[in-house]
Amino acid sequence: MDWREFTGAFKDMSFYLAYNTNVDAIVYLTPEKVQALIEEFGADNVRKRIEEYPRQIDEPLDFVARLVHALKTGKPNAVPMFDQSLNNWFDGHFKYDVERIGGQVGIIANILASLDFKRVIAYSPLLGKKQAEMFVDRPNLFYPVVENEMLAFKPPREAYREDDPVKINRIFEFRKGMRFRLGEEEIEVPFSGRFIVSSRPTELRIETRDELRPFLPQIGESVDGIILSGYQGIKRHYPDGKTDDYYIARARRDIELLKKNHDVKVHIEFASIQDKELRKKVVRELFPMADSVGMDEAEIAHVLNVMGYPDLSDRIFNYNRIEDVVLGGKIILDEANLEILQIHTIYYIMYIARSSNPLKEEELRSSLELATVLAATRASLGDITRPEDLAVGEKVPYNERGEYVKLRFEEARKRIRTRGYKIVIIPTRLVKNPVSTVGLGDTISAGAFASYLALLRRKGVL
Ligand code: AMP
């Protein structure tokens, strides 16, 4: 299928999405701003803190260190900030260029609704007014509520709760080629990307609220696919004594409930989790409940690390070789017993499935193709507002390493055992000067999973 056929098929498909939405406050970084931050804290202090590699932001220097590290490597990254009193420091140091919807649920909901899916049900445990207003105003987009003990679907703008806090993430966008100095060292940013300071208000629990839980089987039955994300927002301990184990158990139960009346396909969109113990729990306890998982190249390394493959993980992290990614992907597919795993990197997107998968390699490739056209459209336009916009992404050429990537993939296939698997790859369509890179990975994963399901439906196996 090409994008026109896919978007035609999408008009008959419905999705449920949970759990994370937030407001993204975006800053387009300039070299002057970065330089000023380094001067304010001192290059030596920044360098020392980079070596300590703080995994959460407890003070401004933690932020500056992780930011400079991200700029140096050009790798996108997100670091949590629990202490809400730091909000003032950020607000005093930065002017936000754009405010828009964030969180995987927020981003994906707006894309699917704009692509004219039949019905998109987006859930997040918090829905403040400012948050609700950032959803696109479309008749196919709903927030689930319970009224008179019955399940009802309302437009987010009519469903918000006045007292719910709003989670604001700060996103620092950087461009390839930006230069600044860290003491003696001259740094040139190798890739465009972004660094995210992810706020974690204590009121926020990654869960389905009790009143809605009994209706999950009904919701699961009414949709063609489910995308779950946001587990990175679970904390180890809460002031009321609850722990991550409590929320992981609840998350497992949510999936069971969603699948109770009908074996609806569930995709987990993984995002980086700094805390290794929590990451391990998500990988070990939640991945096996899903049919499909999506992640990027940094995340596959993180996942392999907690699955007990530190060497392979390090290799992927440092060298990014295709054969290692294939090897790692096979391991994740098998250990988590997934139906399909999707990995997106800057230069290519890959599916790893079993050879028994009902789709042909060519069909799997067409699903990845839809995904990269969708991402290229978003990168070109900033927002996708209608299915026809995809004509823009279709015109974006494959990246210049595309042919090389395919060659390396064919070589890798010869070297490692791929019998028993269906592994396909396509080069990405990379936009030279993207309007924004925020949410492109989520866009790829949503496009890949939705088109995968559309193909299964066409075959009559869904
Ligand atoms: P993530 O790291 O999960 O946000 O995923 C980012 C993905 O978006 C990359 O792996 C690329 O496939 C894609 N991407 C990044 N930059 C661009 C761009 N300029 N144009 C199109 N796609 C992009």
Side-chain angles (χ1 to χ4, degrees):
M1 288 208 240
D2 65 13
W3 70 262
R4 285 183 181 82
E5 293 170 277
F6 275 121
T7 50
F10 292 163
K11 293 192 167 70
D12 288 326
M13 292 172 63
S14 298
F15 270 81
Y16 177 68
L17 319 170
Y19 299 85
N20 55 333
T21 59
N22 59 265
V23 172
D24 279 346
I26 302 173
V27 175
Y28 298 115
L29 281 173
T30 59
E32 295 76 28
K33 187 78 214 177
V34 176
Q35 202 64 65
L37 286 170
I38 293 172
E39 307 311 326
E40 183 178 339
F41 290 89
D44 284 342
N45 294 328
V46 174
R47 209 178 283 123
K48 237 179 264 156
R49 192 60 60 93
I50 290 176
E51 268 163 37
E52 291 164 20
Y53 201 71
R55 287 183 181 271
Q56 63 186 53
I57 289 168
D58 291 329
E59 56 170 324
L61 182 55
D62 294 333
F63 159 71
V64 178
R66 288 296 305 261
L67 174 70
V68 171
H69 180 264
L71 291 169
K72 204 173 154 173
T73 56
K75 291 199 173 168
N77 224 327
V79 185
M81 179 178 95
F82 298 97
D83 181 356
Q84 298 297 308
S85 70
L86 288 167
N87 283 327
N88 288 338
W89 183 86
F90 281 101
D91 294 345
H93 274 71
F94 296 97
K95 191 185 132 295
Y96 305 111
D97 295 295
V98 185
E99 281 188 321
R100 55 189 288 172
I101 200 161
Q104 289 142 312
V105 166
I107 290 167
I108 295 171
N110 279 4
I111 292 173
L112 298 187
S114 303
L115 287 175
D116 292 345
F117 274 76
K118 187 161 132 201
R119 201 174 236 221
V120 182
I121 308 165
Y123 178 72
S124 70
L126 296 179
L127 189 70
K129 185 161 189 242
K130 182 169 180 162
Q131 184 67 70
E133 285 169 349
M134 289 193 168
F135 281 100
V136 289
D137 197 4
R138 295 271 176 150
N140 56 348
L141 179 55
F142 300 95
Y143 183 84
V145 292
V146 178
E147 274 181 350
N148 307 320
E149 295 173 36
M150 301 256 283
L151 177 65
F153 298 112
K154 282 188 168 183
R157 278 153 218 253
E158 290 170 25
Y160 72 84
R161 288 171 293 258
E162 204 69 63
D163 296 334
D164 276 8
V166 174
K167 169 177 153 86
I168 299 183
N169 283 353
R170 294 177 178 84
I171 303 195
F172 300 87
E173 293 254 5
F174 50 82
R175 292 220 172 272
K176 177 178 168 170
M178 196 169 96
R179 285 157 173 269
F180 60 92
R181 298 191 73 82
L182 179 62
E184 296 302 297
E185 191 183 353
E186 170 98 40
I187 293 175
E188 180 171 337
V189 178
F191 300 104
S192 294
R194 77 274 169 218
F195 176 73
I196 303 177
V197 178
S198 169
S199 101
R200 300 267 195 268
T202 40
E203 299 90 338
L204 176 58
R205 307 297 169 99
I206 300 299
E207 63 172 349
T208 308
R209 288 189 175 197
D210 281 334
E211 52 170 21
L212 185 66
R213 290 184 102 208
F215 297 97
L216 287 178
Q218 200 179 324
I219 292 177
E221 202 173 16
S222 74
V223 293
D224 299 284
I226 293 174
I227 301 178
L228 300 177
S229 55
Y231 303 116
Q232 66 275 17
I234 296 176
K235 295 188 204 181
R236 296 293 290 284
H237 301 282
Y238 291 85
D240 60 7
K242 294 207 171 75
T243 62
D244 53 349
D245 289 332
Y246 172 84
Y247 288 100
I248 294 275
R250 259 176 103 85
R252 282 177 64 90
R253 182 75 185 131
D254 279 4
I255 301 177
E256 278 168 11
L257 289 170
L258 286 163
K259 282 179 171 269
K260 189 171 166 206
N261 290 353
H262 157 63
D263 189 16
V264 57
K265 301 269 186 219
V266 170
H267 173 91
I268 290 181
E269 184 54 21
F270 188 71
S272 97
I273 301 179
Q274 300 283 329
D275 184 311
K276 273 177 114 174
E277 281 307 309
L278 176 62
R279 195 193 306 152
K280 195 187 257 178
K281 289 174 189 178
V282 169
V283 169
R284 293 221 177 133
E285 296 183 41
L286 299 181
F287 278 19
M289 309 279 299
D291 303 279
S292 162
V293 169
M295 61 182 76
D296 72 13
E297 73 246 72
E299 290 150 6
I300 186 176
H302 280 140
V303 167
L304 287 166
N305 190 293
V306 296
M307 274 188 165
Y309 299 87
D311 297 341
L312 182 57
S313 163
D314 283 350
R315 277 209 317 268
I316 293 176
F317 209 82
N318 294 323
Y319 306 113
N320 247 316
R321 290 200 319 240
I322 289 187
E323 56 260 51
D324 291 331
V325 174
V326 171
L327 208 63
K330 281 169 40 181
I331 291 172
I332 297 172
L333 187 87
D334 288 341
E335 295 219 352
N337 193 23
L338 299 171
E339 177 174 315
I340 192 158
L341 174 68
Q342 176 262 116
I343 299 161
H344 45 273
T345 76
I346 189 83
Y347 297 115
Y348 62 87
I349 317 178
M350 184 187 286
Y351 267 142
I352 305 190
R354 301 222 167 68
S355 46
S356 58
N357 190 287
L359 298 187
K360 293 191 211 108
E361 289 199 354
E362 173 196 323
E363 291 172 308
L364 290 170
R365 261 193 299 275
S366 75
S367 163
L368 295 180
E369 178 60 25
L370 184 276
T372 191
V373 166
L374 200 60
T377 305
R378 183 176 163 98
S380 304
L381 302 177
D383 270 323
I384 294 170
T385 57
R386 52 193 192 124
E388 295 73 31
D389 285 351
L390 270 64
V392 174
E394 191 188 26
K395 293 209 186 74
V396 175
Y398 293 116
N399 70 76
E400 74 275 15
R401 295 209 202 169
E403 286 308 310
Y404 172 74
V405 161
K406 282 200 250 173
L407 207 72
R408 290 301 308 268
F409 176 61
E410 289 311 323
E411 278 172 23
R413 251 187 206 275
K414 286 184 203 129
R415 231 170 307 145
I416 48 185
R417 267 178 56 98
T418 54
R419 261 194 37 211
Y421 298 88
K422 267 184 196 153
I423 307 176
V424 300
I425 192 170
I426 62 149
T428 50
R429 295 175 182 274
L430 276 191
V431 176
K432 286 254 157 52
N433 289 306
V435 174
S436 158
T437 61
V438 178
L440 289 180
D442 304 333
T443 307
I444 288 176
S445 292
F449 183 56
S451 56
Y452 175 71
L453 296 187
L455 289 162
L456 289 181
R457 272 167 61 101
R458 191 179 65 167
K459 282 242 149 120
V461 285
L462 195 66

